[in-house]
Amino acid sequence: MLNCHKATRLMSEAQDRPLTLGEKLALRLHTMMCSACSNFEKQLPALRRMARGFARHQP
Amino acid sequence: MTQDSVPQDPHPTGSSHDTLMSDELRLQMLKFATLQLRDSHLAEDAVQEALLGAFRYAQAFAGRAAYKTWVFAILKNKIADLLRKNQRLVNVSSLTRTEDDSLEETLFNQNGMWHRDERPVAWSSPEGSAEDSQFWQIFEACLDDLPPNQGRVFMMREFVDLESSEICSELDISVSNLNVLLYRARLRLRECLENKWYLDGDCRC
């Protein structure tokens, strides 16, 4: 069973490589029970969009 | 390459020179080079050389996206050469182990669960924040607060859009080291944005 530390680590890796079916299932089960990690998972793609938009908003 | 085989510029209103030398592109390059080299003079030289090198063959490229990709590729090579020349690469892998272990202890308890006060909250309208100039000042401050190697690999991955394998090859680090650096960068950046923007009352969304 994943704890939050391992789950967030896996969420970060999901930004850089395809997860296995087992990893996806473990993450899904964890985020169903943990709203904090569910929030974290949604924020990772937002961080990517921010990094890509950063230069366009430079004064 | 014959004249006929040169792709046509889909944006005829702006010349290749204008596109290639635009302030926006130069600023992006300078930002990236400074982050990678940690030396504004070296960064300026690298950007200038990359732009001049790219300009020689500018007519062979169609559209802004192709220019940008190509110019950044030249810049990355310039940066890699400078890093190797100055032997700064040795710092990268050695720092991954000790640079930021304390962050995870701050955020998670011994069972690996979030500390009560550190649990991520839902962000209201992150897209709306992008329209607020004050948000980008906070984003830049949070980015500058990252330990140097974390900021470097985060921007290589998310801003320049390099694949993990390319970053590992460029910095001579393992995939697991890169994953640790990216994880800690994302943890810290997320935490900083939440504290300084989404919870601190600055967010107007």
Side-chain angles (χ1 to χ4, degrees), chain B residues 11 21 32 45 58 75 77 82 95 97 122 140 183 189 205:
Chain B
H11 307 293
M21 299 297 188
F32 176 66
D45 289 345
L75 179 61
N77 287 335
L82 285 167
L95 281 177
R97 289 187 294 279
E140 182 167 20
Y183 174 58
L189 189 58
C205 40

Side-chain angles (χ1 to χ4, degrees), chain B:
Chain B
M1 183 179 276
T2 65
Q3 190 70 18
D4 291 342
S5 66
V6 175
Q8 296 301 300
D9 189 337
H11 307 293
T13 52
S15 71
S16 301
H17 180 277
D18 289 344
T19 305
L20 193 62
M21 299 297 188
S22 75
D23 283 346
E24 182 191 349
L25 178 60
R26 195 168 55 233
L27 202 57
Q28 288 180 10
M29 294 170 72
L30 192 61
K31 192 89 191 165
F32 176 66
T34 304
L35 183 74
Q36 303 298 313
L37 295 169
R38 297 275 151 190
D39 182 319
S40 59
H41 297 297
L42 275 180
E44 285 177 10
D45 289 345
V47 168
Q48 203 70 358
E49 284 182 34
L51 285 170
L52 288 172
F55 183 59
R56 288 178 204 154
Y57 305 99
Q59 296 303 323
F61 282 81
R64 182 181 182 79
Y67 284 133
K68 185 175 175 180
T69 302
W70 189 44
V71 173
F72 259 102
I74 294 174
L75 179 61
K76 280 180 271 183
N77 287 335
K78 297 275 180 200
I79 288 170
D81 288 345
L82 285 167
L83 288 171
R84 290 188 190 104
K85 187 178 172 185
N86 294 327
Q87 296 184 316
R88 295 178 186 199
L89 288 179
V90 292
N91 293 331
V92 178
S93 55
S94 62
L95 281 177
T96 53
R97 289 187 294 279
T98 57
E99 194 176 52
D100 204 20
D101 288 338
S102 61
L103 172 68
E104 288 157 74
E105 291 170 13
T106 304
L107 297 177
F108 301 102
N109 64 25
Q110 286 185 324
N111 296 323
M113 311 306 272
W114 291 101
H115 280 302
R116 186 180 178 84
D117 294 339
E118 304 293 350
R119 292 165 58 86
V121 300
W123 289 354
S124 55
S125 182
E127 285 74 20
S129 302
E131 303 305 316
D132 193 322
S133 61
Q134 200 176 357
F135 169 78
W136 293 107
Q137 291 172 12
I138 288 173
F139 184 86
E140 182 167 20
C142 289
L143 199 58
D144 288 344
D145 273 351
L146 291 178
N149 290 318
Q150 289 176 28
R152 185 181 297 181
V153 297
F154 177 78
M155 290 304 268
M156 288 178 94
R157 178 75 185 102
E158 307 291 37
F159 178 52
V160 185
D161 203 18
L162 289 179
E163 292 298 326
S164 295
S165 57
E166 293 177 289
I167 300 173
C168 289
S169 171
E170 200 70 38
L171 298 180
D172 195 23
I173 58 175
S174 68
V175 173
S176 61
N177 274 349
L178 176 64
N179 287 341
V180 169
L181 283 170
L182 286 171
Y183 174 58
R184 289 175 178 169
R186 288 164 177 150
L187 268 183
R188 187 177 280 272
L189 189 58
R190 193 214 70 80
E191 176 81 358
C192 180
L193 287 172
E194 186 161 295
N195 290 339
K196 292 188 175 177
W197 179 254
Y198 290 101
L199 295 180
D200 202 34
D202 284 329
C203 180
R204 297 170 199 154
C205 40

Side-chain angles (χ1 to χ4, degrees), chain A residues 5 8 12 16 43 48 52, chain B residues 104 112 121 157-158 183:
Chain A
H5 191 181
T8 53
S12 177
D16 309 307
Q43 288 157 3
R48 172 165 289 176
R52 289 177 180 173
Chain B
E104 288 157 74
V121 300
R157 178 75 185 102
E158 307 291 37
Y183 174 58

